Amino acid sequence: FITSKTTIGRHFYVVGGNIEAARLSGVNTRRIMFLAYLNMAILTSISAMIMLARFTAANADAGKNFEMDAISACVVGGVSASGGAGTVLGMVIGATLIGVINLGMSLISLDANYQRVIKGFVLLAAVVFDILSKKREK
């Protein structure tokens, strides 16, 4: 709702697409960037608490290699690698797809190194698809 129906959400998209054009259009880019980083800090602390509750212990390696899954989920969900495009619903669908891929590879007991390679290919395919679809639009 926030990203599609409010002014601040539209400002997030504008700053993500082209920060200089947003600044020249009168958007307070420093404030928007601060709010984006504040939002990410809050969401990161919530996810850290959930992981802590899940493992019932603090572990420095608890979130290791999750960044690849997060980036893959966003790109597969339709978020543009260059910024300024994408929806929350698309990211949820992308996260679900990456989660299903992870679960399937774990169920068949695939080696962790092969899992990373497969997830890398999925990310590469999503980025190539994004680039090719942008070329067709122009």
Side-chain angles (χ1 to χ4, degrees):
F1 176 80
I2 291 173
T3 57
S4 62
K5 304 281 190 221
T6 64
T7 305
I8 192 96
R10 294 175 205 272
H11 287 178
F12 281 134
Y13 275 113
V14 170
V15 169
N18 188 343
I19 193 166
E20 188 61 25
R23 187 185 63 76
L24 293 173
S25 298
V27 175
N28 187 351
T29 56
R30 292 182 60 138
R31 179 175 166 253
I32 297 300
M33 291 296 286
F34 174 76
L35 290 174
Y37 282 113
L38 178 68
N39 181 37
M40 290 313 305
I42 292 169
L43 292 175
T44 301
S45 62
I46 290 170
S47 65
M49 287 184 230
I50 291 171
M51 289 297 293
L52 180 68
R54 182 176 174 204
F55 291 143
T56 63
N59 185 357
D61 289 337
K64 191 174 183 181
N65 295 325
F66 280 5
E67 61 276 355
M68 177 74 156
D69 289 343
I71 294 168
S72 298
C74 291
V75 174
V76 168
V79 174
S80 175
S82 59
T87 62
V88 175
L89 180 62
M91 286 187 286
V92 169
I93 291 170
T96 304
L97 181 63
I98 293 297
V100 167
I101 290 171
N102 284 337
L103 182 64
M105 290 188 296
S106 293
L107 286 175
I108 62 171
S109 300
L110 195 62
D111 184 47
N113 293 322
Y114 291 125
Q115 288 184 22
R116 287 190 202 108
V117 169
I118 291 172
K119 286 189 276 188
F121 279 129
V122 169
L123 177 60
L124 182 65
V127 169
V128 167
F129 180 76
D130 179 48
I131 291 170
L132 291 177
S133 66
K134 281 193 174 193
K135 280 186 178 179
R136 287 187 195 142
E137 289 176 5
K138 291 182 179 182

